[in-house]
Amino acid sequence: MKKSGILHRELAYQVASLGHGDMIVIADSGLPVPREVKCIDLAVMKNVPPFLSVLDAVLGEMVVEKAVVAEELLPNSMLVEAVKERLQPVPVETVSHQSLKEISREAKAVVRTGEWTPYANIILVAGVAF
């Protein structure tokens, strides 16, 4: 039995299988998941698990070279700052929410959280550890 890190089998597998440039999306409970993209549904109830907790778990195991959030998230300055702190020095780009949904079609997986904060979605682009 695994004793640390991501314990969820599907999520651990998806993170471990990412190659350079592959994308994974950490999403709020309302982001539509494209039919062709794997959905790892962690949502149990409103705000369980929260977006930032899932982001922390993934960032603990994934090399990230770039992140993308929706411009519509920017008014939520507390969440934006929390995301940027966690990702530092990784650049965080902004695109429209519609563009974020389109880009997510190319992701290896969308991880659905129980988050109820509008636009609490992030695309993480895998980097390399060397």
Side-chain angles (χ1 to χ4, degrees):
M1 177 176 174
K2 192 172 180 195
K3 66 180 188 175
S4 64
I6 296 172
L7 301 178
H8 189 279
R9 183 186 328 190
E10 287 180 84
L11 183 53
Y13 171 79
Q14 284 298 325
V15 172
S17 67
L18 294 172
H20 186 215
D22 287 342
M23 296 179 290
I24 192 167
V25 180
I26 311 296
D28 61 25
S29 58
L31 186 73
V33 179
R35 288 188 183 144
E36 62 274 11
V37 177
K38 171 91 173 151
C39 178
I40 301 171
D41 194 345
L42 303 180
V44 175
M45 56 190 277
K46 182 179 180 180
N47 291 317
V48 177
F51 171 81
L52 289 175
S53 294
V54 176
L55 179 61
D56 287 341
V58 172
L59 292 177
E61 298 196 16
M62 179 182 173
V63 177
V64 178
E65 77 175 18
K66 179 174 84 170
V68 180
V69 299
E71 296 164 346
E72 290 83 348
L73 181 63
L74 297 178
N76 188 335
S77 59
M78 287 179 55
L79 185 55
V80 171
E81 286 308 310
V83 165
K84 287 183 176 181
E85 269 181 38
R86 285 163 166 80
L87 284 161
Q88 202 170 15
V90 173
V92 179
E93 297 179 5
T94 57
V95 297
S96 71
H97 184 61
Q98 184 60 39
S99 293
L100 185 135
K101 291 191 292 187
E102 290 170 16
I103 295 166
S104 72
R105 291 176 174 263
E106 303 302 317
K108 295 288 183 178
V110 173
V111 182
R112 183 173 173 259
T113 70
E115 186 67 50
W116 276 43
T117 303
Y119 307 110
N121 307 295
I122 190 166
I123 298 171
L124 302 174
V125 180
V128 292
F130 52 88

